[in-house]
Amino acid sequence: MTKSGSLRQIPILSFLKDRDIKALAQDLTEVSYGKGQYIFKEGDPAECFHVIKSGSVKCVKSSPGGKEAILKVLTPGDLFCCEAAVFDGGTHPGCALTMGPVTLMKIRKEAYFKLLKNNPDAALDVIKYLGTRLTEAQETAKTFALERADQRLASLLVKLAKRVGRDILGGLLLDIQLSRQDLADMAGLAVETTIRILSKLTRKGLLGKRGRRLIIRDLKGLETLAGSSA
Amino acid sequence: MTKSGSLRQIPILSFLKDRDIKALAQDLTEVSYGKGQYIFKEGDPAECFHVIKSGSVKCVKSSPGGKEAILKVLTPGDLFCCEAAVFDGGTHPGCALTMGPVTLMKIRKEAYFKLLKNNPDAALDVIKYLGTRLTEAQETAKTFALERADQRLASLLVKLAKRVGRDILGGLLLDIQLSRQDLADMAGLAVETTIRILSKLTRKGLLGKRGRRLIIRDLKGLETLAGSSA
DNA sequence: TTTTAAACCTGACTTAGATCATGTTTTGGA
DNA sequence: TCCAAAACATGATCTAAGTCAGGTTTAAAA
């Protein structure tokens, strides 16, 4: 895929005129990482936007006690580091680290800002995007505050199904490499609890697996468990 | 205060030119509510922005089980309902309800959108604002996922101190009417747990009270307890 | 001022989920 | 293909925090 071709895929960039996309393509650097490497850490100054070309990346925040919460998992096509930090010149509020080999494109924020000024509608798109992310984050906070462990996990699986689910024979394959620890960190649970719940859901016929990936056998069932709110 | 005078105070409107502020002032309606009334409910179509003139409002999400989480408390000068819903024409992702008598100004979203298009920099301000809110929401989610009850409450009190704290003799008065239930709903805890922790903190000399309002006697101490991350 | 309801508080009990301990299965590198 | 290191799994405790049940204080309305 050409540089401008892949830029075209990104929701937040898709509104741009061809001319602008091409200009932007000039302005980006491609970087590759191995597994488990930090792209940036909490407190680093925010200088670029990142677009994932291949692989997946997790946005993480750690507690003083050393435990970590995964705020979001990003997959190819996602643009990240587009939060407050980049826009107001602050520092990153969390870490981003690779979950396997990753290639991404970096766009210097100045280049992007210039585009926004020249494309009045573009800014409205960014506003919508941030609004959606905000609603998501609030939904997550609510789930953590009010829901039981199995409901939290169920609603996480439903969300994942929507993002990375691929229809296969007999279910919906979650087409992303996630360890049990990752799932636990996303649901705010201990690994053991996560494993126990997954086993229970498998016994009940809601889940299956292919290799290391999960298969959702009964999405409706999971949605019901999650409380039919996600 | 004149209409345009109070609009001037709102962060998200402050960048506007005098002419635009005056135009906007023509375009808004003032509405008053009693205690415990809904301004909008989850699922309602989002049609206006709201600016609080007096009183306070809580943004709430409920679980299927009937428990509720307070996502944010808004005080005079705050603009709310400026999330995804308004910008993409969707519905409200949660409820807003008054915590006492409230007066607010409603701005039809079309009027505001027109302004944004004519003020390119204005959109950037909104982007920054949403970015900040997003970071906050993620911080909250992390706290819920990883922190102990007393740390959650401590970090809530620290946040409140920054927003509504007023220096008084011997401490920092939280100048807002909040029941124990409200605090519990904000921290994602049971009322009883909240009360027990507050009592413990009072015994330790970190907190006091004046009438029904809390006084923070030792902000540093609370910050330490919270994990020195908020 | 009295009454009533709401808010606040405390103790006793229960439980969901964390922690610990230990074994098994995968998997990727030598 | 063998070995070491992850990742996965499950049982046995332990504990933080929820629930329940009963009080007291505060505030507001009659």
Side-chain angles (χ1 to χ4, degrees):
Chain A
M1 211 188 312
T2 65
K3 272 186 179 180
S4 35
S6 28
L7 289 181
R8 194 41 85 214
Q9 311 289 314
I10 317 304
I12 288 203
L13 303 176
S14 57
F15 51 80
L16 291 174
K17 302 175 193 96
D18 270 3
R19 179 171 47 84
D20 293 324
I21 288 266
K22 280 195 186 124
L24 202 56
Q26 305 291 318
D27 229 339
L28 50 82
T29 338
E30 215 171 284
V31 195
S32 287
Y33 296 84
K35 185 178 175 170
Q37 289 189 294
Y38 282 96
I39 294 164
F40 51 79
K41 295 194 183 183
E42 186 163 350
D44 287 354
E47 281 155 354
C48 317
F49 291 87
H50 307 258
V51 176
I52 301 185
K53 206 168 173 187
S54 67
S56 37
V57 171
K58 55 184 175 183
C59 296
V60 161
K61 260 184 174 268
S62 309
S63 79
K67 285 182 288 190
E68 74 178 30
I70 298 182
L71 296 173
K72 193 156 179 74
V73 167
L74 303 149
T75 48
D78 279 333
L79 178 124
F80 69 101
C81 169
C82 35
E83 273 90 76
V86 193
F87 289 105
D88 67 7
T91 59
H92 290 290
C95 308
L97 71 100
T98 60
M99 306 177 72
V102 164
T103 305
L104 43 85
M105 301 182 284
K106 294 192 175 188
I107 308 171
R108 290 195 50 75
K109 62 177 177 180
E110 290 79 10
Y112 188 67
F113 281 161
K114 220 168 71 188
L115 276 185
L116 280 189
K117 294 232 174 178
N118 299 334
N119 293 269
D121 289 331
L124 281 185
D125 266 42
V126 174
I127 288 174
K128 273 187 204 173
Y129 171 82
L130 287 176
T132 309
R133 292 284 311 272
L134 177 55
T135 306
E136 272 175 32
Q138 290 180 333
E139 183 71 38
T140 306
K142 185 211 84 174
T143 303
F144 283 177
L146 302 180
E147 248 76 76
R148 278 201 325 271
D150 55 348
Q151 296 175 306
R152 274 145 76 165
L153 198 52
S155 92
L156 171 63
L157 292 172
V158 171
K159 265 187 245 160
L160 283 172
K162 294 205 176 120
R163 268 173 55 81
V164 298
R166 223 186 60 210
D167 269 310
I168 57 160
L169 208 103
L172 202 56
L173 179 74
L174 294 189
D175 204 3
I176 185 178
Q177 173 82 13
L178 286 175
S179 68
R180 305 292 139 134
Q181 183 67 60
D182 288 329
L183 286 171
D185 291 345
M186 280 191 254
L189 301 172
V191 213
E192 294 92 332
T193 306
T194 305
I195 288 175
R196 276 186 256 266
I197 294 171
L198 289 179
S199 308
K200 199 184 68 188
L201 294 179
T202 307
R203 260 178 271 127
K204 281 191 184 169
L206 298 184
L207 291 180
K209 64 173 155 180
R210 166 188 292 185
R212 202 149 265 200
R213 325 226 143 166
L214 286 171
I215 296 171
I216 294 179
R217 295 239 122 90
D218 180 0
L219 186 61
K220 280 271 174 296
L222 281 181
E223 279 170 345
T224 308
L225 178 56
S228 55
S229 71
Chain B
M1 211 187 315
T2 64
K3 272 187 180 181
S4 37
S6 28
L7 289 180
R8 199 32 92 216
Q9 312 288 312
I10 317 304
I12 288 202
L13 304 175
S14 57
F15 52 78
L16 291 173
K17 302 176 193 94
D18 270 3
R19 179 171 46 84
D20 293 323
I21 287 267
K22 280 196 187 122
L24 202 56
Q26 305 291 319
D27 229 339
L28 49 82
T29 338
E30 216 171 283
V31 195
S32 287
Y33 296 84
K35 183 176 177 173
Q37 288 189 296
Y38 283 96
I39 295 164
F40 52 78
K41 294 194 183 185
E42 186 162 352
D44 286 353
E47 281 154 354
C48 318
F49 291 87
H50 307 258
V51 177
I52 300 184
K53 206 168 172 188
S54 69
S56 35
V57 171
K58 55 184 176 182
C59 296
V60 160
K61 259 183 175 269
S62 309
S63 79
K67 285 182 289 191
E68 75 178 27
I70 298 182
L71 296 173
K72 194 157 177 74
V73 167
L74 303 149
T75 48
D78 279 331
L79 178 125
F80 69 102
C81 171
C82 35
E83 273 90 76
V86 193
F87 289 106
D88 67 9
T91 59
H92 289 290
C95 308
L97 70 101
T98 60
M99 306 176 71
V102 164
T103 305
L104 42 86
M105 301 181 284
K106 294 192 174 191
I107 308 172
R108 290 195 51 74
K109 62 179 178 178
E110 291 78 11
Y112 188 67
F113 282 162
K114 221 169 69 188
L115 277 186
L116 280 190
K117 294 229 175 182
N118 299 334
N119 294 269
D121 290 330
L124 283 184
D125 267 40
V126 175
I127 288 175
K128 273 188 205 174
Y129 171 82
L130 286 176
T132 309
R133 292 283 311 270
L134 177 55
T135 306
E136 272 174 33
Q138 291 181 332
E139 184 71 38
T140 305
K142 185 211 85 174
T143 303
F144 284 178
L146 302 179
E147 248 77 74
R148 276 200 326 270
D150 55 349
Q151 297 176 306
R152 274 145 77 167
L153 197 53
S155 92
L156 171 63
L157 293 172
V158 171
K159 264 187 247 160
L160 283 173
K162 294 205 176 120
R163 269 174 53 82
V164 298
R166 222 186 61 210
D167 270 310
I168 58 159
L169 209 102
L172 202 56
L173 178 73
L174 294 189
D175 205 2
I176 186 178
Q177 173 83 12
L178 286 173
S179 68
R180 304 292 137 136
Q181 185 66 60
D182 288 330
L183 285 171
D185 290 346
M186 281 193 251
L189 301 173
V191 213
E192 295 92 332
T193 307
T194 305
I195 290 174
R196 276 187 256 266
I197 294 172
L198 288 179
S199 309
K200 200 184 67 187
L201 294 178
T202 307
R203 261 178 272 126
K204 282 191 183 169
L206 298 184
L207 291 181
K209 64 173 155 181
R210 166 187 292 183
R212 205 149 257 203
R213 325 225 141 169
L214 285 171
I215 296 171
I216 293 180
R217 295 239 122 89
D218 179 0
L219 186 61
K220 280 270 175 297
L222 281 180
E223 279 170 345
T224 308
L225 177 57
S228 53
S229 71

